[in-house]
Amino acid sequence: MIAVLLLVAASSLRVTAVCEMWDDRGFVGSRPIKTAPLSVTNMTCSGENGKLPYHVYKLKQLTSLELQGNGLQGLPDKMGKLELLTHLDISDNSLSKLPKSLSLLTNLETVHASSNALSAIDSLSTMFELRELHLGGNELESIPEAFSNIGKQMTSLDLSENNLSELPDIFDSFSMLHTIDLSANRLSDLPNSLASDAVTAIMLRNNALSEAPQVLEQMPNLGQLTLDGNQLSEVPDFLPDADQLVYLTLGSNAIDPESLLSLNSLGGLRTLSLDNNDLEYLPEGFGVGLESLLLLDIRNNSLTRLPDSLSELHLDYLQALPNNFCGSLPNLQVAVSSDVESGQEFDACPSTPAPTIERTPVTETCYQEDIKYKGELIPGLKSFLRAETTDDCHALCDASLVLETSRRILDKVH
Ligand SMILES: *[C@@H]1O[C@H](CO)[C@@H](O)[C@H](O)[C@H]1NC(C)=O
Ligand SMILES: *[C@@H]1O[C@H](CO)[C@@H](O)[C@H](O)[C@H]1NC(C)=O
Ligand SMILES: *[C@@H]1O[C@H](CO)[C@@H](O)[C@H](O)[C@H]1NC(C)=O
């Protein structure tokens, strides 16, 4: 058995990479790099098993090299000789660093290097023609200041799933950048130089934002914003004015339900997710104005009912379970799919016990009163003294006034 396993392991190590190759006249064939004619311009390889043949650098006509998913642990030092390269895909390998010579590849327009183990990317700082840079799923803890040089043409930047706690303030020249993915880092703020009319999508899910970064206010064409998985306690102030917004996720935060009404001004919004916010209610009036909304996700909160105002939405999709619904839901207009039905009946809501007043005599005519709800003194409510006349309680405060205020707070709790 062991011998068989060893044999299998040994033979899989010997698998020869097969690359699909093209030159100016068309498809050259599928064969190992070693046998590539020097004329090839485009090459896509799989099955390299950890090591790229050293002589790949001889293929000087290459404009496009795709090496994704080959288990590569390093790239040959002479990679920098492939001066005509405009497209390089080295994603999904095991690269922990890039060869210095890569900085000579100044014609590169797209670099895909996601899903590796890169902690340093300095050799990319000379690539002035970059349009797209994908570095998601690496081990970056910082971005070099020298990246300020490579932004003029850049339209798309992916730095998701790294370990960035801040970004340098170097983005002034990135005037064409429209898509920025910063998901799954440790960011608590963003630099102001990201402000730009060009930005249409910014992904910030799973970071450490306790407030929305101010620079988001200076992205007037923002259409897509993901803020789920942060520590927001209310709907950010600028959102009601983000009138180009189409896609917004606020799930897995701790959003104050009362602040949700401010979203009503987003008439162009199509997708809104508010899942996992521990919401106990949606305020009455919520949804009025969300005329374009097609998908609403309110899963996994603590909602017991839905406001009647939701019946004004014309949704395609409603995702509403699990929650703590009781009684009947309002009429809902959902075209395609929902996990609850319009007017659906749930078990009756548990009747909430009335608050109780407990009296403890202080003197014969004066009592201490505690208003309790479910046997507990309500936080923020003081016990007070009550008697036939104030004098009976030794000139203590006007107890009836206190009682009135307490009752109103109780009604609200209820
Ligand atoms: C070869 O690569 C270039 C640069 O990325 C690209 O524009 C072209 O379409 C590719 N040609 C083929 C046949 O894949
Ligand atoms: C992220 O960076 C912090 C601070 O430099 C470090 O302590 C931590 O180990 C890093 N985490 C990962 C997953 O690399
Ligand atoms: C619902 O919330 C619980 C507790 O926060 C979490 O463990 C679970 O993954 C969530 N489920 C969904 C579907 O989001």
Side-chain angles (χ1 to χ4, degrees), residues 138-141 162-165 186:
N138 279 288
E139 293 169 14
L140 302 175
E141 289 187 12
N162 278 285
N163 193 5
L164 300 167
S165 54
R186 298 186 294 130

Side-chain angles (χ1 to χ4, degrees), residues 9-315:
S11 63
S12 75
L13 278 178
R14 260 186 277 111
V15 167
T16 322
V18 174
C19 302
E20 300 194 341
M21 301 175 193
W22 291 261
D23 66 12
D24 285 343
R25 282 168 303 175
F27 190 56
V28 171
S30 294
R31 34 169 133 171
I33 290 185
K34 274 185 208 162
T35 66
L38 296 183
S39 62
V40 296
T41 57
N42 297 41
M43 193 155 81
T44 300
C45 303
S46 54
E48 276 300 338
N49 272 312
K51 206 148 182 269
L52 194 64
Y54 173 73
H55 52 260
V56 68
Y57 79 87
K58 290 182 182 155
L59 306 173
K60 295 229 171 65
Q61 298 305 311
L62 276 180
T63 60
S64 168
L65 180 58
E66 301 200 327
L67 298 166
Q68 62 269 35
N70 282 288
L72 300 177
Q73 288 168 11
L75 294 173
D77 255 345
K78 288 194 171 178
M79 281 282 286
K81 300 226 172 215
L82 302 174
E83 283 175 11
L84 297 183
L85 269 190
T86 60
H87 172 77
L88 177 63
D89 190 339
I90 47 175
S91 51
D92 201 9
N93 283 293
S94 305
L95 302 169
S96 56
K97 57 182 184 173
L98 298 170
K100 272 214 176 81
S101 74
L102 216 63
S103 64
L104 299 172
L105 303 182
T106 54
N107 289 314
L108 276 172
E109 292 176 8
T110 52
V111 172
H112 293 260
S114 296
S115 302
N116 279 289
L118 298 171
S119 55
I121 47 174
D122 300 87
S123 50
L124 303 179
S125 322
T126 51
M127 299 180 180
F128 310 113
E129 300 295 328
L130 276 182
R131 268 77 169 157
E132 280 188 40
L133 179 56
H134 298 270
L135 289 165
N138 279 288
E139 293 169 14
L140 302 175
E141 289 187 12
S142 64
I143 299 301
E145 296 272 338
F147 262 42
S148 58
N149 299 324
I150 62 167
K152 286 211 173 62
Q153 311 287 336
M154 199 178 295
T155 58
S156 181
L157 176 61
D158 175 6
L159 296 169
S160 62
E161 293 180 59
N162 278 285
N163 193 5
L164 300 167
S165 54
E166 59 180 1
L167 295 178
D169 203 0
I170 54 159
F171 296 96
D172 289 300
S173 69
F174 286 58
S175 58
M176 294 168 73
L177 191 59
H178 59 64
T179 303
I180 313 170
D181 192 346
L182 298 166
S183 306
N185 279 287
R186 298 186 294 130
L187 298 168
S188 54
D189 204 356
L190 294 179
N192 284 326
S193 56
L194 279 173
S196 157
D197 289 358
V199 178
T200 55
I202 184 162
M203 280 69 105
L204 291 165
R205 57 184 290 269
N206 293 351
N207 272 287
L209 303 170
S210 51
E211 289 177 26
Q214 267 204 312
V215 69
L216 296 179
E217 293 172 34
Q218 294 164 60
M219 297 178 177
N221 292 309
L222 206 54
Q224 187 180 345
L225 174 61
T226 66
L227 284 168
D228 43 319
N230 281 286
Q231 295 140 27
L232 304 177
S233 54
E234 55 184 17
V235 170
D237 284 345
F238 82 98
L239 270 182
D241 299 320
D243 54 10
Q244 301 300 307
L245 214 54
V246 172
Y247 184 98
L248 174 64
T249 63
L250 290 168
S252 301
N253 280 285
I255 306 272
D256 172 9
E258 218 49 56
S259 74
L260 293 173
L261 284 176
S262 71
L263 292 173
N264 280 353
S265 64
L266 297 175
L269 199 63
R270 287 160 165 263
T271 296
L272 174 60
S273 60
L274 297 168
D275 53 298
N276 287 296
N277 268 290
D278 209 15
L279 296 169
E280 292 183 351
Y281 67 99
L282 296 177
E284 189 54 57
F286 172 72
V288 175
L290 296 176
E291 287 162 8
S292 310
L293 198 66
L294 295 177
L295 187 151
L296 177 62
D297 181 357
I298 47 174
R299 280 177 296 182
N300 223 15
N301 282 295
S302 309
L303 302 172
T304 52
R305 54 181 301 272
L306 293 176
D308 289 334
S309 50
L310 277 197
S311 61
E312 303 202 10
L313 296 176
H314 299 267
L315 296 172

